PDB file of all heavy atoms in Angstrom:
ATOM      1  N   ASP B  10     100.210 113.258 100.468  1.00  0.00           N
ATOM      2  CA  ASP B  10      99.049 113.764  99.727  1.00  0.00           C
ATOM      3  C   ASP B  10      99.288 113.686  98.223  1.00  0.00           C
ATOM      4  O   ASP B  10      98.392 113.308  97.465  1.00  0.00           O
ATOM      5  CB  ASP B  10      98.716 115.195 100.143  1.00  0.00           C
ATOM      6  CG  ASP B  10      98.158 115.275 101.554  1.00  0.00           C
ATOM      7  OD1 ASP B  10      97.586 114.269 102.031  1.00  0.00           O
ATOM      8  OD2 ASP B  10      98.310 116.334 102.194  1.00  0.00           O
ATOM      9  N   VAL B  15      98.392 110.891  93.029  1.00  0.00           N
ATOM     10  CA  VAL B  15      98.956 110.173  91.880  1.00  0.00           C
ATOM     11  C   VAL B  15      98.375 108.766  91.825  1.00  0.00           C
ATOM     12  O   VAL B  15      97.994 108.288  90.751  1.00  0.00           O
ATOM     13  CB  VAL B  15     100.505 110.135  91.937  1.00  0.00           C
ATOM     14  CG1 VAL B  15     101.071 109.214  90.880  1.00  0.00           C
ATOM     15  CG2 VAL B  15     101.079 111.532  91.783  1.00  0.00           C
ATOM     16  N   TYR B  16      98.267 108.104  92.965  1.00  0.00           N
ATOM     17  CA  TYR B  16      97.691 106.758  92.981  1.00  0.00           C
ATOM     18  C   TYR B  16      96.242 106.775  92.496  1.00  0.00           C
ATOM     19  O   TYR B  16      95.824 105.907  91.721  1.00  0.00           O
ATOM     20  CB  TYR B  16      97.771 106.114  94.372  1.00  0.00           C
ATOM     21  CG  TYR B  16      97.004 104.823  94.405  1.00  0.00           C
ATOM     22  CD1 TYR B  16      97.463 103.727  93.677  1.00  0.00           C
ATOM     23  CD2 TYR B  16      95.801 104.717  95.076  1.00  0.00           C
ATOM     24  CE1 TYR B  16      96.730 102.549  93.643  1.00  0.00           C
ATOM     25  CE2 TYR B  16      95.070 103.545  95.048  1.00  0.00           C
ATOM     26  CZ  TYR B  16      95.540 102.468  94.331  1.00  0.00           C
ATOM     27  OH  TYR B  16      94.811 101.304  94.282  1.00  0.00           O
ATOM     28  N   GLU B  21      92.514 105.240  88.137  1.00  0.00           N
ATOM     29  CA  GLU B  21      91.556 105.588  87.075  1.00  0.00           C
ATOM     30  C   GLU B  21      92.067 105.110  85.715  1.00  0.00           C
ATOM     31  O   GLU B  21      91.315 104.552  84.913  1.00  0.00           O
ATOM     32  CB  GLU B  21      91.331 107.103  87.042  1.00  0.00           C
ATOM     33  CG  GLU B  21      90.600 107.641  88.252  1.00  0.00           C
ATOM     34  CD  GLU B  21      90.676 109.157  88.374  1.00  0.00           C
ATOM     35  OE1 GLU B  21      91.384 109.810  87.560  1.00  0.00           O
ATOM     36  OE2 GLU B  21      90.042 109.693  89.294  1.00  0.00           O
ATOM     37  N   ALA B  25      90.581 101.922  82.644  1.00  0.00           N
ATOM     38  CA  ALA B  25      90.094 102.389  81.340  1.00  0.00           C
ATOM     39  C   ALA B  25      89.482 101.221  80.569  1.00  0.00           C
ATOM     40  O   ALA B  25      90.063 100.129  80.492  1.00  0.00           O
ATOM     41  CB  ALA B  25      91.228 103.009  80.537  1.00  0.00           C
ATOM     42  N   CYS B  32      92.267  95.638  74.523  1.00  0.00           N
ATOM     43  CA  CYS B  32      93.525  94.943  74.812  1.00  0.00           C
ATOM     44  C   CYS B  32      93.324  93.542  75.375  1.00  0.00           C
ATOM     45  O   CYS B  32      94.275  92.771  75.469  1.00  0.00           O
ATOM     46  CB  CYS B  32      94.370  95.771  75.764  1.00  0.00           C
ATOM     47  SG  CYS B  32      94.793  97.414  75.122  1.00  0.00           S
ATOM     48  N   MET B  73      99.037 102.878  97.608  1.00  0.00           N
ATOM     49  CA  MET B  73      98.432 101.811  96.814  1.00  0.00           C
ATOM     50  C   MET B  73      98.055 100.624  97.692  1.00  0.00           C
ATOM     51  O   MET B  73      96.938 100.111  97.608  1.00  0.00           O
ATOM     52  CB  MET B  73      99.403 101.372  95.722  1.00  0.00           C
ATOM     53  CG  MET B  73      98.907 100.233  94.877  1.00  0.00           C
ATOM     54  SD  MET B  73     100.124  99.868  93.580  1.00  0.00           S
ATOM     55  CE  MET B  73      99.450  98.347  92.946  1.00  0.00           C
ATOM     56  N   ARG B  75      97.695 100.501 100.973  1.00  0.00           N
ATOM     57  CA  ARG B  75      96.641 100.831 101.954  1.00  0.00           C
ATOM     58  C   ARG B  75      95.276 100.663 101.291  1.00  0.00           C
ATOM     59  O   ARG B  75      94.354 100.099 101.884  1.00  0.00           O
ATOM     60  CB  ARG B  75      96.801 102.259 102.480  1.00  0.00           C
ATOM     61  CG  ARG B  75      97.731 102.400 103.659  1.00  0.00           C
ATOM     62  CD  ARG B  75      97.626 103.758 104.318  1.00  0.00           C
ATOM     63  NE  ARG B  75      97.856 104.871 103.421  1.00  0.00           N
ATOM     64  CZ  ARG B  75      99.051 105.374 103.112  1.00  0.00           C
ATOM     65  NH1 ARG B  75     100.144 104.856 103.647  1.00  0.00           N
ATOM     66  NH2 ARG B  75      99.161 106.389 102.283  1.00  0.00           N
ATOM     67  N   MET B  98     100.614  90.213  96.459  1.00  0.00           N
ATOM     68  CA  MET B  98     100.415  91.321  95.520  1.00  0.00           C
ATOM     69  C   MET B  98     101.669  92.195  95.434  1.00  0.00           C
ATOM     70  O   MET B  98     102.066  92.614  94.343  1.00  0.00           O
ATOM     71  CB  MET B  98      99.215  92.167  95.938  1.00  0.00           C
ATOM     72  CG  MET B  98      97.893  91.459  95.795  1.00  0.00           C
ATOM     73  SD  MET B  98      96.593  92.431  96.595  1.00  0.00           S
ATOM     74  CE  MET B  98      95.377  92.424  95.304  1.00  0.00           C
ATOM     75  N   HIS B 103     106.377  93.924  92.324  1.00  0.00           N
ATOM     76  CA  HIS B 103     107.834  94.065  92.203  1.00  0.00           C
ATOM     77  C   HIS B 103     108.359  93.282  90.995  1.00  0.00           C
ATOM     78  O   HIS B 103     109.117  93.815  90.180  1.00  0.00           O
ATOM     79  CB  HIS B 103     108.513  93.600  93.490  1.00  0.00           C
ATOM     80  CG  HIS B 103     109.996  93.690  93.442  1.00  0.00           C
ATOM     81  ND1 HIS B 103     110.668  94.896  93.424  1.00  0.00           N
ATOM     82  CD2 HIS B 103     110.936  92.731  93.366  1.00  0.00           C
ATOM     83  CE1 HIS B 103     111.972  94.662  93.346  1.00  0.00           C
ATOM     84  NE2 HIS B 103     112.159  93.362  93.319  1.00  0.00           N
ATOM     85  N   GLY B 104     107.948  92.033  90.869  1.00  0.00           N
ATOM     86  CA  GLY B 104     108.406  91.207  89.750  1.00  0.00           C
ATOM     87  C   GLY B 104     107.968  91.761  88.409  1.00  0.00           C
ATOM     88  O   GLY B 104     108.752  91.808  87.450  1.00  0.00           O
ATOM     89  N   ARG B 125     102.317  89.298  77.733  1.00  0.00           N
ATOM     90  CA  ARG B 125     101.578  88.028  77.666  1.00  0.00           C
ATOM     91  C   ARG B 125     101.644  87.278  78.995  1.00  0.00           C
ATOM     92  O   ARG B 125     100.668  86.707  79.448  1.00  0.00           O
ATOM     93  CB  ARG B 125     102.157  87.122  76.578  1.00  0.00           C
ATOM     94  CG  ARG B 125     101.707  87.430  75.206  1.00  0.00           C
ATOM     95  CD  ARG B 125     102.267  86.353  74.237  1.00  0.00           C
ATOM     96  NE  ARG B 125     102.065  86.753  72.879  1.00  0.00           N
ATOM     97  CZ  ARG B 125     100.903  86.689  72.240  1.00  0.00           C
ATOM     98  NH1 ARG B 125      99.841  86.246  72.855  1.00  0.00           N
ATOM     99  NH2 ARG B 125     100.796  87.085  70.992  1.00  0.00           N
ATOM    100  N   GLY B 130      96.061  88.077  83.794  1.00  0.00           N
ATOM    101  CA  GLY B 130      95.475  87.215  84.813  1.00  0.00           C
ATOM    102  C   GLY B 130      95.795  85.746  84.605  1.00  0.00           C
ATOM    103  O   GLY B 130      95.006  84.883  84.950  1.00  0.00           O
ATOM    104  N   HIS B 146      99.700 100.646  73.936  1.00  0.00           N
ATOM    105  CA  HIS B 146      99.208 101.432  75.077  1.00  0.00           C
ATOM    106  C   HIS B 146     100.328 101.641  76.102  1.00  0.00           C
ATOM    107  O   HIS B 146     100.536 102.757  76.587  1.00  0.00           O
ATOM    108  CB  HIS B 146      98.019 100.723  75.733  1.00  0.00           C
ATOM    109  CG  HIS B 146      97.613 101.326  77.030  1.00  0.00           C
ATOM    110  ND1 HIS B 146      96.775 102.420  77.126  1.00  0.00           N
ATOM    111  CD2 HIS B 146      97.961 101.004  78.311  1.00  0.00           C
ATOM    112  CE1 HIS B 146      96.625 102.743  78.396  1.00  0.00           C
ATOM    113  NE2 HIS B 146      97.320 101.894  79.133  1.00  0.00           N
ATOM    114  N   LYS B 164      97.065 115.220  87.112  1.00  0.00           N
ATOM    115  CA  LYS B 164      95.996 115.772  86.260  1.00  0.00           C
ATOM    116  C   LYS B 164      95.480 114.730  85.302  1.00  0.00           C
ATOM    117  O   LYS B 164      96.125 113.856  84.880  1.00  0.00           O
ATOM    118  CB  LYS B 164      96.510 116.971  85.497  1.00  0.00           C
ATOM    119  CG  LYS B 164      96.845 118.132  86.426  1.00  0.00           C
ATOM    120  CD  LYS B 164      97.337 119.286  85.636  1.00  0.00           C
ATOM    121  CE  LYS B 164      97.709 120.420  86.569  1.00  0.00           C
ATOM    122  NZ  LYS B 164      98.285 121.528  85.883  1.00  0.00           N
TER     123      LYS B 164
END
Side-chain angles (χ1 to χ4, degrees):
D10 290 335
V15 171
Y16 172 68
E21 292 166 355
C32 300
M73 177 177 170
R75 274 192 304 275
M98 292 170 132
H103 179 69
R125 279 185 191 283
H146 170 84
K164 294 180 182 176

